[in-house]
Amino acid sequence: MVLPLKEDDTYLVLNPRGFAEEGAEGFYRHDTRFLARYRLLLPEGLALLESRTPRPDRLIQDWARFQGPDGELYLRRSLQVERGRVREALSLHNLGRKPLEVRLGLEVEGSFEDLFQARGWSPSSRGHRGLAYRAPDGVELRVEVLPPWPLEGLTLHLAPGEVRNLGFEVRLESPLGTPGTLPSYEAFLEAFPQGEGPWAKPLRQALMDLRALLLATPEGPIPAAGIPWFVAPFGRDSLLTAFMLLPWGKEVARGVLRYLARRQGRARDPFREEEPGKILHEVRLGELSRLGKVPFARYYGTVDATPLFLVLLGRYLDLTGDLALVRELKPNWEAALAWMAAADLDGDGLLEFAPSGGGLSVHSWKDSHDSMSHKDGRLAEPPLAVSEVQGYAYAAHLAAREFYRALGEEERAREEERRAQALFALIQERFWLEELGTYALALDRHKTPLRVKASDAGHLLWAGAVPEERARKLARTLLSEELWTGWGVRTLGAKEARYNPLSYHNGSVWPHDTALFAGGLFRYGLRAEGEQVAQALLELALSQPDLRLPELVGGFPREEGLPPVPYPVACRPQAWDAAALVYLYALRKGVRAW
C-alpha cells in the first residue's frame, strides 16, 4: 500500500518506508512528477520501528539501531508537505555510553514526467533530467534542496547522550500555481459535527482527508477527486462531494460552484468535448495537456456534471437561503439549462451523449469503456441515454423551478416544473423494467433498454425520480443477493454477462455509489434499509487499517470476520468517499437527504 501525503497542489506518493523508490512513487505538483526517486541514506543498521500520519500532510517515523537488547541510536523523522515544498526534520539521539560516528545521505532523481506518463497511460520519454526542466512550451520547473545537501553526505559525531537536530526542505518550483487560501485543519474540522461511538474515528479521518484534498483557487476551495491519480478539479466528483458536505461545508460548495461557473463551456471544440453551457469534467496542468497531446487541459467529456451543477446550487439554496449566490450565478445556471436542452440529441426529451474527441468513451460516472452493456454482454452503441443522468436532469429542473420562484419569475418556474414532470414520466415509460424490478442501465442508439441489474437505479432514488409506489420494490432489488454484497451495492449484478467482482465498473463496490443509494432510501422514508446501508459502509471503513473508505473494493460476498477484497489501484483518500461518511452520518442524525 502506498503512503499518500498532500497539501494544496503538492502531494507525495511514498512507499511504507516513507521514500519514493520505484513504480509511480514520487513527489508531484501540477500533474507532474518532479521527483521519481527520493531516499534518505540512513546510518547502517537502523530499523523502522513505527510510521504514522497524524494528519494527511505529515509523516512521523521512529527508527532505531540496537546493540544486543539495548537501543544504541534513535532517529525521529518528521516530514511535512506544504504548497510547493516538503520540510524534513531529523533528530538523532546517541542512546549509548560511547561516541558514535553517523553518516547521512540523500538520493534525489528528477523526473518531470506528465502524470499520465508516470501512471503508464502514455509512453514516457523520461531520461535523467536532473533537477531542472524546461518544457517545449517554455514552462520551467525546478527542484531545489535547501540548504544544499553535500554530494558526499554528512558525517556527524555524537557524544554519549547527545541529541543532534537537522532540517532541510525540498522545493518544487512551478509557475503554474494560482492564488488562493485554504482553511486551517482546526477551522475546517470545527465546522462539522464530531461523531460519537464507532463513527468518531472514521468520521474524523474523513474530515481530515477532505481538508487535505482541498485545492486553493481564486474562486475558493475545491476538492481534488483523489490521491494519487486525481489531484485535480473534477466536475462530477467535486459537485457530489460538495453536495454531501452540506449543510456544513458552505465554503466548499461556493468554491466548487464559482470555479466551475468561471470555466463553463463557451465554444464548440470536439477534441475537448466542449459545448456552450457545459460544465467541465476535469482540469489538468501537465505537459501533455498543455501541449494538446491529450484533451485534458480543460476537458468537458461528462454528461452529468451540468445537471449536477444545478442540483448542488439547489441544495445550497435550500439549506442556506443564500439567494445572492443564485443571483450571481444566474447566467451560468441558465446556460446550463440551455445546454441540457441541446443535449437531447434526437428530440425525445432525454439527455444523451456521443463521444467526439480523444478522451472518454463513456460520459456518465461509470466512465470505463465497457461499463454500458446489454444482457448478452454486447457493448451498447452510442448515443447513450444513461438512467441516472435523467434523474439528475429531473432534479436540476426542479432546482431551477425554485430559483425562478425565489427571483419572482413565476412563468419560468412553471416552465421548469413542466419540464421536470415530463422527464419524470419519460423515465418511468422508457427505463422501468417491471420483470426485473429495476430501471434499465441505459438506452442505446436504437432506444433499446440495457436490461441488466446495476447500481445506477439507486441514484434515481437519490434524485427523487422514482414513484412512491415503486420505491420499496426497487430497494428490494438493490438489496437482493445479486447486487448487495454486505459491504455495498455491486455496480453490476452477479448474474450479468459482464459481471466481474474485480472489474472497475462491472461488479465492484463503490462506496460513494452506495451512499447515494442510502440517501435515496432515507429520502423515501425507508429508514431501516437506509440504516442497513449506512452501517455496512461504516463497517467497511472500520475494516480498513487507515479507517478510510477506499475508492472501490471487490464485489465478492461479505464473509464473516474478513475485510472486503481490495481493488489494488484504488485511490485513497478519495473525496466523494470521505464525503460519503459525512453524508451518512448526517442522514442518521436527521439531516434531509435533499
Side-chain angles (χ1 to χ4, degrees):
M1 183 183 296
V2 298
L3 174 65
L5 298 172
K6 178 184 175 295
E7 175 61 13
D8 197 358
D9 60 12
T10 304
Y11 68 101
L12 314 185
V13 180
L14 307 177
N15 59 31
R17 289 169 57 83
F19 305 133
E21 298 179 282
E22 61 183 8
E25 296 163 5
F27 284 31
Y28 290 81
R29 191 182 186 199
H30 300 152
D31 300 301
T32 302
R33 177 161 67 168
F34 279 63
L35 290 179
R37 186 172 182 82
Y38 178 87
R39 183 165 73 109
L40 289 171
L41 302 177
L42 300 175
E44 186 177 354
L46 274 184
L48 178 60
L49 303 181
E50 187 174 19
S51 186
R52 54 201 180 277
T53 52
R55 283 187 356 192
D57 61 342
R58 295 177 181 173
L59 171 66
I60 298 176
Q61 293 183 321
D62 297 305
W63 298 73
R65 184 171 72 201
F66 286 81
Q67 186 70 30
D70 299 325
E72 179 186 43
L73 177 64
Y74 168 73
L75 169 67
R76 164 65 61 86
R77 179 193 182 199
S78 300
L79 183 151
Q80 179 160 344
V81 183
E82 300 177 3
R83 178 186 172 101
R85 63 183 174 185
V86 179
R87 295 184 183 272
E88 282 269 19
L90 306 174
S91 179
L92 295 105
H93 187 182
N94 182 351
L95 303 174
R97 300 174 63 184
K98 297 180 180 179
L100 290 178
E101 180 179 279
V102 175
R103 293 186 57 80
L104 293 169
L106 177 65
E107 286 186 356
V108 293
E109 180 185 323
S111 171
F112 303 106
E113 285 175 292
D114 187 283
L115 177 126
F116 292 110
Q117 295 172 320
R119 191 176 184 184
W121 284 2
S122 182
S124 175
S125 59
R126 182 181 68 85
H128 178 67
R129 292 176 173 169
L131 298 182
Y133 174 64
R134 181 182 176 88
D137 60 352
V139 172
E140 294 185 354
L141 307 174
R142 179 181 300 275
V143 176
E144 191 171 10
V145 179
L146 294 174
W149 196 278
L151 292 177
E152 68 277 11
L154 296 173
T155 300
L156 306 177
H157 293 89
L158 301 179
E162 183 179 359
V163 176
R164 186 77 61 88
N165 296 315
L166 301 173
F168 64 95
E169 65 181 46
V170 181
R171 295 184 180 176
L172 311 181
E173 298 178 359
S174 165
L176 302 174
T178 57
T181 59
L182 295 177
S184 68
Y185 272 84
E186 293 73 20
F188 186 82
L189 266 65
E190 286 174 4
F192 290 85
Q194 306 304 305
E196 73 281 336
W199 285 87
K201 289 183 178 180
L203 187 60
R204 180 175 176 81
Q205 182 64 58
L207 290 170
M208 287 200 298
D209 288 339
L210 286 160
R211 164 56 186 81
L213 285 165
L214 292 180
L215 300 168
T217 78
E219 294 78 28
I222 180 169
I227 299 174
W229 308 122
F230 305 110
V231 182
F234 275 73
R236 177 192 307 121
D237 300 58
S238 298
L239 288 161
L240 286 174
T241 297
F243 181 99
M244 290 191 281
L245 294 185
L246 287 171
W248 303 288
K250 301 178 185 68
E251 185 180 1
V252 174
R254 288 192 295 267
V256 168
L257 289 164
R258 285 174 171 146
Y259 181 94
L260 295 175
R262 184 172 179 181
R263 293 157 181 82
Q264 191 171 23
R266 291 175 173 80
R268 294 192 179 276
D269 183 345
F271 179 62
R272 295 189 298 145
E273 318 258 12
E274 181 181 2
E275 296 167 357
K278 197 175 186 182
I279 297 299
L280 61 78
H281 179 270
E282 65 184 284
V283 174
R284 295 290 190 172
L285 301 175
E287 181 179 318
L288 295 179
S289 297
R290 299 196 313 271
L291 295 178
K293 294 183 178 181
V294 295
F296 302 117
R298 192 177 290 185
Y299 178 59
Y300 292 82
T302 167
V303 69
D304 51 11
T306 306
L308 287 172
F309 179 84
L310 285 103
V311 166
L312 174 60
L313 183 58
R315 181 163 173 84
Y316 176 85
L317 175 64
D318 182 46
L319 293 178
T320 69
D322 181 7
L323 189 58
L325 187 63
V326 174
R327 288 196 181 98
E328 175 190 333
L329 298 181
K330 186 180 182 186
N332 304 102
W333 55 260
E334 287 192 323
L337 287 169
W339 179 84
M340 287 168 58
D344 177 6
L345 301 181
D346 55 9
D348 67 348
L350 300 172
L351 266 69
E352 294 130 349
F353 68 87
S356 63
L360 298 167
S361 58
V362 175
H363 289 185
S364 55
W365 89 260
K366 293 178 180 175
D367 55 10
S368 51
H369 77 282
D370 61 349
S371 65
M372 297 289 140
S373 62
H374 287 281
K375 185 71 176 177
D376 60 4
R378 286 179 299 117
L379 294 182
E381 295 181 63
L384 294 174
V386 180
S387 58
E388 77 273 9
V389 176
Q390 317 313 316
Y392 303 162
Y394 165 72
H397 286 303
L398 292 181
R401 177 195 65 186
E402 296 307 307
F403 302 158
Y404 282 123
R405 280 180 178 171
L407 296 172
E409 299 183 46
E410 286 298 330
E411 181 53 39
R412 299 295 299 275
R414 286 192 289 273
E415 182 180 342
E416 292 304 318
E417 172 71 24
R418 288 192 293 270
R419 289 177 176 173
Q421 295 312 318
L423 183 51
F424 185 91
L426 271 176
I427 293 170
Q428 313 317 314
E429 175 189 340
R430 306 297 296 277
F431 288 86
W432 177 249
L433 305 173
E434 180 64 30
E435 71 280 12
L436 297 183
T438 189
Y439 290 85
L441 174 58
L443 307 182
D444 70 5
R445 67 179 302 168
H446 306 294
K447 300 302 176 182
T448 303
L450 277 57
R451 296 177 176 275
V452 295
K453 293 182 180 180
S455 63
D456 305 58
H459 294 224
L460 290 171
L461 271 180
W462 174 73
V466 177
E468 292 283 346
E469 62 272 17
R470 283 182 180 162
R472 189 170 293 278
K473 182 173 184 177
L474 176 59
R476 284 198 299 269
T477 300
L478 290 166
L479 290 171
S480 69
E481 189 175 333
E482 285 182 61
L483 285 164
W484 181 252
T485 69
W487 297 113
V489 180
R490 292 185 180 96
T491 43
L492 188 67
K495 293 183 180 179
E496 306 301 343
R498 283 190 175 266
Y499 169 69
N500 177 346
L502 288 179
S503 166
Y504 200 55
H505 287 137
N506 286 319
S508 57
V509 170
W510 288 62
H512 90 280
D513 181 34
T514 297
L516 293 180
F517 169 46
L521 293 170
F522 279 96
R523 179 173 190 162
Y524 280 80
L526 302 174
R527 186 173 183 89
E529 294 86 345
E531 292 276 5
Q532 174 189 346
V533 176
Q535 183 66 26
L537 288 178
L538 170 63
E539 290 170 2
L540 195 163
L542 290 169
S543 75
Q544 303 297 295
D546 56 8
L547 300 179
R548 290 177 168 124
L549 286 176
E551 180 185 16
L552 68 158
V553 296
F556 297 97
R558 183 171 177 173
E559 297 181 70
E560 187 65 32
L562 296 177
V565 175
Y567 188 84
V569 293
C571 290
R572 54 197 313 153
Q574 183 89 353
W576 57 15
D577 293 319
L581 283 174
V582 180
Y583 183 52
L584 293 170
Y585 184 79
L587 292 174
R588 296 181 70 255
K589 291 296 183 181
V591 174
R592 294 196 311 277
W594 274 72

